[in-house]
């Protein structure tokens, strides 16, 4: 076997030096425990190595067979988990088509949609497992009649609406009032006293939103770290080699004509990105100090102007929300229900368009343009949601206001007997309105625009053209919808189910808009630099949803007419009650210590140490990467120097004619292998050497690593 393999690799079978080197290499591979699939050899060589390790007729032990089965099972389990994390391969063909036709930058938006769909499904699964199924299975006893509250309210008028019955039912569905007594909202959940059941529905209902937010945070953080831009580690001056894309981009497994066309578009988009980035890199290097100063002043001017636009939009949202809540007794109250979502959607629709127009005036690189526009859109979107939440809190919970009903009950009990349901209805209307706006814009704006452009000709229609698919605007729309879903986990537990349906339909609506009604952007950008920013925006939305929820759970009095926490001053009181009832004294003291200020100081020190270690490791890895880059350049230069010395010395020794057709000049002009030791994987191997004084030693062409080098 060894002799046969050495003959196939190009060594003469009768030469003892080559035989000894090959035997040493085979002994090293035989004694190595590295998996065969991880060895850098061709498939034929791997089969030979496997036969060396497991000869025919030799039985392996039970322990070895069990280890092999465990490794195989672990590998398959890891692949299954990876497929689960990727959404069971959902929309793979559609994502491949979009990436080939429009580039990886636009493909990253649709991949982001799939990731959000997976997060919503996991959130729904967690809520259903710990809240809905126990409620259906245990069937807790009736909590008793509601408390009879006597309120001293200035007026007892109800909103009068002269709306027909059928239309009234439709509006009740759109506003969420038709589902007030169902499990969709907070008021539909009931439970008996805590001592009557071993499973606490109240504790599960309280901790499920917090656990969902923590799970989403871990998933987003993992995806964000995994998608860190490559230049953060390799440096800003790192340029990926274009030769690798030229010679190794094509997939030779492609057989279909359509798949080949998509692959051609994908390779073409990659070349466009590389060439455009290279051109911009050269322009930046050629800038003078005065040009950079002018560029900085223009940058500040544009950002100040955008900041003023954001402030105006936030003030408009605050006024619209306050006007809608103050006019509850008006006859047009049904129409005023959708005034805050309408104003928020209008501001968030016009804002990104103005931001894109102002940012494009500066002629930024595509990645910088997308990220800068996305940053200001994030500020506008999250600030509008934050102002919307604050205005609701000011109206319902009397935050910053003095009212008679708020002094006694902690919330505006005259106008909102079940304020959790009212907040849930507002968030429900926000989700419904965002999806309806997406559908209306796709089929009432983009589609007629494309039909008119195709039907008529002229300067105006040529200027109008099809719309350009704006990645920042679409990302912010879906992030805003997801933030609203996270904000409603406590008030509307089944809102993730509704949002999952909306995301699923949004994927196909946006795909239709992209393929039929939109045009490809002339400026390409990478997915790696934008994907990281997408996850960062999503984490900001998660934090925006977590802060109000934490404040409500810990400090705001619950409604006394509905829900699970009618007899508690705040929902978090149920945790303290269960700790006192069901934990031993040692467990109670341990939990109290973990929640005290005495534990925060050592925890802060520990986190500081962990952060210091992580920063030190990151810096050490960055220095190691820089050193390896320099070492690679030195090795390549050393190879070229050796080849030049060899080509200069061989003609002086007069041995050029002894090599026949394979002269030193022809050999030095061929591409050299970058594997200085064992031949490169899959290479055909060296030819059988011709007799001559220069190649008398058959082992001089390659240096094979021995067992002592390992």
């Amino acid at each position: 076997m060894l002799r046969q393999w050495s003959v196939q690799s190009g060594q003469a079978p009768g030469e003892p030096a080559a035989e000894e080197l090959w035997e040493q290499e085979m002994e090293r591979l035989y004694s190595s425990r590295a998996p065969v699939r991880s060895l850098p050899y061709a498939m034929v060589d791997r089969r030979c190595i496997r036969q060396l390790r497991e000869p025919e007729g030799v039985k392996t032990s039970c322990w070895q067979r069990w280890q092999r089965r465990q490794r195989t099972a672990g590998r398959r389990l890891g692949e299954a988990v990876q497929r689960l994390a990727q959404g069971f391969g959902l929309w793979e063909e559609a994502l491949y088509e979009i990436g080939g036709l429009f580039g990886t930058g636009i493909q990253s938006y649709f991949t982001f949609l799939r990731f959000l769909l997976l997060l919503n499904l996991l959130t729904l699964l967690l809520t259903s497992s710990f809240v809905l199924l126990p409620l259906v299975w245990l069937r807790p006893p009736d909590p008793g009649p509601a408390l009879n509250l006597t309120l001293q309210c200035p007026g007892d008028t109800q909103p009068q609406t002269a709306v027909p019955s059928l239309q009234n039912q439709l509006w009740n569905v759109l506003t969420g009032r038709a589902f007030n007594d169902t499990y969709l909202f907070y008021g539909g959940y009931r439970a008996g006293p805590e001592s009557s059941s071993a499973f606490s529905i109240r504790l599960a209902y309280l901790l499920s939103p917090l656990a969902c937010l923590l799970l989403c945070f871990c998933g987003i953080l993992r995806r964000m770290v995994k998608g860190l831009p490559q230049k953060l580690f390799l440096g800003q001056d790192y340029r990926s080699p274009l030769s690798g894309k030229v010679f190794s981009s094509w997939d030779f497994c492609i057989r279909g004509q359509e798949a080949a066309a998509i692959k051609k578009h994908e390779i073409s988009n990659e070349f466009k990105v590389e060439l455009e980035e290279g051109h911009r890199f050269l322009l930046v290097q050629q800038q003078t100090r005065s040009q950079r100063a002018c560029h900085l002043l223009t940058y500040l001017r544009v950002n100040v102007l955008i900041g003023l636009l954001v402030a105006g939009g936030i003030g408009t949202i605050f006024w619209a929300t306050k006007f809608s809540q103050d006019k509850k007794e008006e006859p047009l109250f049904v129409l005023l229900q959708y005034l805050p979502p309408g104003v928020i959607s209008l501001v968030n629709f016009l804002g990104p368009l103005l931001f894109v127009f102002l940012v494009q005036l500066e002629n930024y690189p595509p990645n910088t343009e997308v990220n800068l526009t996305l940053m200001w859109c994030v500020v506008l979107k999250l600030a509008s949601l934050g102002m919307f939440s604050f205005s609701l809190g000011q109206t319902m919970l009397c935050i910053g206001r003095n009212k008679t009903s708020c002094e006694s009950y902690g919330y505006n009990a005259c106008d909102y007997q079940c304020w959790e349901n009212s907040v849930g209805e507002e968030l429900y209307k926000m989700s419904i309105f965002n999806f309806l706006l997406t559908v209306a814009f796709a089929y009432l704006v983009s589609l007629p625009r494309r039909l008119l452009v195709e039907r008529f000709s002229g300067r105006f229609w040529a200027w109008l053209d099809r719309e350009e698919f704006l990645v920042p605007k679409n990302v912010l729309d879906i992030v805003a919808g997801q933030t609203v879903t996270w904000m409603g986990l406590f008030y509307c537990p089944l809102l993730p189910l509704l949002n999952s349906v909306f995301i699923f339909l949004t994927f196909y609506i946006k795909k239709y808009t992209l393929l039929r009604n939109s045009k490809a952007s002339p400026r390409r950008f990478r997915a790696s630099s934008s994907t990281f920013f997408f996850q960062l925006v999503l984490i900001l939305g998660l934090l925006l949803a977590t802060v109000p929820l934490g404040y409500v759970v810990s400090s705001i009095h619950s409604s006394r007419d509905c829900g699970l926490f009618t007899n508690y001053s705040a929902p978090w009181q149920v945790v303290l009650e269960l700790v006192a009832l069901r934990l031993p004294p040692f467990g109670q003291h341990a939990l109290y210590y973990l929640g005290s200020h005495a534990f925060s100081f050592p925890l802060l020190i520990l986190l500081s140490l962990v952060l210091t270690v992580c920063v030190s490791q990151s810096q050490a890895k960055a220095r190691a990467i820089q050193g390896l880059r320099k070492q690679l350049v030195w090795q390549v230069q050393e190879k070229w120097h050796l080849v030049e010395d060899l080509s200069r010395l061989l003609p002086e020794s007069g041995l050029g004619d002894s090599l026949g057709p394979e002269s030193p000049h022809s050999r030095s002009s061929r591409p050299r292998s970058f594997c200085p030791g064992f031949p490169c994987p899959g290479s055909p191997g060296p030819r059988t050497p011709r007799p001559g004084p220069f190649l008398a030693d058959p082992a001089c062409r390659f240096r094979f690593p021995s067992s002592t080098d390992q």
Side-chain angles (χ1 to χ4, degrees):
M1 176 61 67
L2 295 178
R3 184 179 297 273
Q4 179 182 359
W5 201 12
S6 65
V7 171
Q8 292 176 356
S9 300
Q11 299 290 340
E15 297 177 353
E19 288 286 343
E20 183 178 356
L21 290 174
W22 280 109
E23 288 179 1
Q24 292 178 0
E25 179 66 17
M26 292 301 103
E27 289 292 336
R28 185 185 69 83
L29 294 174
Y30 177 76
S31 59
S32 176
R33 295 185 179 182
V36 177
R37 61 184 301 174
S38 64
L39 295 177
Y41 298 110
M43 292 300 298
V44 178
D45 300 336
R46 292 181 185 180
R47 293 191 185 98
C48 295
I49 296 172
R50 187 180 296 276
Q51 291 179 6
L52 285 174
R53 293 183 179 181
E54 301 175 3
E56 296 182 1
V58 178
K59 296 183 178 180
T60 57
S61 63
C62 297
W63 174 252
Q64 292 177 347
R65 290 196 299 270
W66 182 82
Q67 284 184 329
R68 187 186 308 165
R69 287 195 299 267
Q70 292 299 318
R71 286 195 298 267
T72 304
R75 185 177 68 252
R76 292 177 179 175
L77 180 61
E79 294 174 355
V81 172
Q82 187 176 6
R83 287 196 302 270
L84 177 64
Q86 294 178 354
F88 299 99
L90 183 64
W91 300 324
E92 286 291 342
E93 296 181 0
L95 292 175
Y96 179 75
E97 181 183 3
I98 293 171
L101 296 177
F102 298 95
T104 57
I106 294 180
Q107 183 190 21
S108 63
Y109 164 73
F110 291 90
T111 308
F112 187 60
L113 279 177
R114 185 176 65 176
F115 174 69
L116 290 182
L117 177 62
L118 181 62
L119 283 185
N120 282 276
L121 292 178
L122 290 178
T123 302
L124 179 64
L125 178 63
L126 190 63
T127 304
S128 302
S129 301
F130 290 96
V131 179
L132 293 179
L133 291 181
L135 274 176
V136 175
W137 180 262
L138 296 177
R139 294 182 180 179
D142 187 14
L147 296 176
N148 187 11
L149 301 178
T150 303
L151 302 178
Q152 299 295 332
C153 299
D156 196 15
T157 60
Q158 298 295 330
Q160 300 175 359
T161 57
V163 184
S165 177
L166 180 61
Q167 193 173 358
N168 193 14
Q169 293 178 2
L170 178 61
W171 277 109
N172 286 337
V173 171
L174 292 178
T175 58
R177 291 187 174 182
F179 311 106
N180 273 340
D181 296 330
T182 63
Y183 287 150
L184 180 62
F185 291 108
Y186 167 87
Y189 294 84
R190 298 287 190 272
E194 287 300 326
S195 59
S196 62
S197 176
F199 183 82
S200 177
I201 297 295
R202 291 183 176 87
L203 184 63
Y205 187 91
L206 178 63
L207 297 183
S208 291
L210 303 179
C212 293
L213 293 176
L214 181 61
L215 177 65
C216 294
F217 177 79
C218 295
I220 297 170
L221 188 64
R222 177 183 177 275
R223 188 178 176 88
M224 184 173 65
V225 173
K226 186 179 179 181
L228 280 175
Q230 191 180 25
K231 290 187 179 181
L232 290 179
F233 300 101
L234 300 180
Q236 295 295 328
D237 57 343
Y238 174 76
R239 310 297 301 172
S240 58
L242 195 61
S243 58
K245 297 183 181 297
V246 173
F247 294 104
S248 62
S249 294
W250 186 255
D251 186 2
F252 290 93
C253 297
I254 294 178
R255 292 294 182 266
Q257 193 71 21
E258 184 179 358
I262 293 176
K263 190 65 178 180
K264 290 179 183 178
H265 282 287
E266 181 181 356
I267 297 174
S268 174
N269 293 333
E270 289 291 332
F271 287 157
K272 290 178 182 178
V273 171
E274 289 289 344
L275 295 176
E276 188 172 354
E277 286 186 354
H279 177 66
R280 291 186 176 276
F281 181 76
L282 292 178
L283 291 180
V284 171
Q285 294 296 325
Q286 295 173 359
Q287 285 182 350
T288 61
R289 291 185 177 179
S290 59
Q291 291 177 345
R292 294 179 181 177
C294 294
H295 183 73
L296 180 60
L297 291 177
T298 309
Y299 175 81
L300 294 176
R301 181 186 62 189
V302 170
N303 283 274
V304 168
L305 181 59
I306 294 177
L308 294 177
L309 292 176
V310 170
I314 293 174
T316 305
I317 293 171
F318 176 77
W319 173 84
T321 307
K322 183 179 179 182
F323 182 80
S324 174
Q325 296 298 324
D326 291 342
K327 300 296 182 180
K328 292 175 63 68
E329 292 80 10
E330 296 294 332
L332 295 178
F333 173 67
V334 176
L335 297 179
L336 294 177
Q337 287 278 339
Y338 275 90
L339 180 61
V343 174
I344 291 175
S345 300
L346 181 62
V347 170
N348 291 321
F349 171 72
L350 297 178
L353 297 179
L354 296 176
F355 298 162
V356 169
F357 174 74
L358 293 175
V359 171
Q360 284 182 351
L361 294 178
E362 304 304 317
N363 196 21
Y364 290 116
N367 292 332
T368 305
E369 179 182 322
V370 170
N371 292 336
L372 184 60
T373 307
L374 193 59
M375 181 189 71
W376 278 112
C377 292
V378 166
V379 173
L380 177 62
K381 186 77 71 171
L382 298 185
S384 62
L385 291 177
M387 182 57 66
F388 176 69
S389 302
F390 175 76
S391 59
L392 288 180
Q394 192 179 41
T395 304
M396 300 180 185
L397 306 178
C398 303
I399 298 176
R401 299 174 64 182
N402 293 323
K403 266 197 171 184
T404 305
S405 59
C406 296
E407 295 177 358
S408 303
Y409 304 102
Y411 61 95
N412 190 357
C414 292
D415 298 330
Y416 304 96
Q417 284 77 20
C418 186
W419 66 267
E420 290 90 351
N421 272 17
S422 300
V423 175
E425 289 175 8
E426 295 294 332
L427 299 176
Y428 172 84
K429 289 184 291 186
M430 184 77 70
S431 298
I432 293 287
F433 191 82
N434 288 339
F435 178 70
L436 294 179
L437 191 65
T438 300
V439 176
F441 189 81
Y443 294 102
L444 299 181
V445 177
S446 299
L447 180 59
R449 178 178 176 179
R450 189 256 298 180
L451 295 177
L452 291 174
V453 168
E454 292 179 351
R455 176 67 177 82
F456 300 101
S457 61
R459 288 187 176 181
F460 174 76
W461 302 108
W463 170 81
L464 183 63
D465 203 2
R466 297 186 179 187
E467 68 167 341
E468 184 179 338
F469 193 85
L470 300 177
V471 174
K473 175 183 177 301
N474 289 280
V475 168
L476 261 295
D477 290 340
I478 198 65
V479 168
Q482 186 62 44
T483 304
V484 170
T485 302
W486 284 330
M487 293 172 65
L489 286 178
F490 182 78
Y491 316 103
C492 189
L494 295 184
L495 197 57
L497 174 62
L498 195 65
N499 195 37
S500 300
V501 177
F502 291 162
I503 291 177
F504 185 83
L505 297 177
T506 300
F507 182 91
Y508 291 100
I509 293 173
K510 293 297 182 180
K511 179 187 173 184
Y512 173 80
T513 303
L514 177 65
L515 296 179
R516 298 294 182 88
N517 302 331
S518 301
K519 64 179 181 179
S521 175
R523 311 178 72 190
R524 309 285 178 171
F525 62 95
R526 294 188 183 276
S528 58
S529 59
S530 298
T531 303
F532 171 79
F533 208 76
F534 293 169
Q535 310 304 322
L536 181 61
V537 170
L538 199 59
I539 281 189
L540 293 178
L542 182 64
L543 295 178
L544 178 64
T546 304
V547 171
L549 179 61
Y551 176 72
V552 167
V553 166
S554 60
S555 304
I556 300 300
H557 199 291
S558 303
S559 298
R560 301 194 179 188
D561 286 350
C562 64
L564 296 170
F565 307 99
T566 54
N567 298 323
Y568 295 90
S569 59
W572 191 253
Q573 294 296 324
V574 70
V575 178
L576 303 179
E577 179 182 347
L578 289 174
V579 167
L581 288 177
R582 302 186 181 183
L583 283 183
F586 176 76
Q588 296 180 22
H589 291 307
L591 287 180
Y592 289 145
Y593 175 73
L594 293 178
S596 63
H597 296 285
F599 179 72
S600 60
F601 184 70
L603 180 62
L604 182 62
I605 295 178
L606 180 62
L607 292 178
S608 302
L609 293 176
V610 172
L611 182 61
T612 304
V613 171
C614 292
V615 171
S616 302
Q617 289 182 351
S618 176
Q619 294 177 354
K621 290 179 180 179
R623 290 193 297 267
I625 290 174
Q626 191 70 19
L628 290 174
R629 289 177 56 196
K630 293 181 179 179
Q631 184 179 357
L632 181 61
V633 174
W634 292 339
Q635 287 182 355
V636 173
Q637 292 177 354
E638 184 180 0
K639 285 175 181 281
W640 282 106
H641 285 308
L642 291 176
V643 169
E644 291 175 358
D645 294 341
L646 181 64
S647 61
R648 186 177 65 253
L649 292 175
L650 286 181
E652 296 177 0
S653 61
L655 300 176
D657 299 334
S658 63
L659 297 177
E662 195 174 9
S663 62
H665 299 283
S666 62
R667 185 179 303 167
S668 62
S669 62
R670 295 182 316 195
R672 263 84 43 195
S673 172
F674 284 93
C675 301
F678 201 71
C680 288
S683 60
R687 300 178 181 176
T688 304
R690 298 176 181 270
F694 178 70
L695 295 177
D697 188 3
C700 66
R701 284 194 63 176
F702 297 100
R703 177 185 176 273
F704 301 100
S706 60
S707 59
T708 59
D709 296 333
Q710 305 299 321

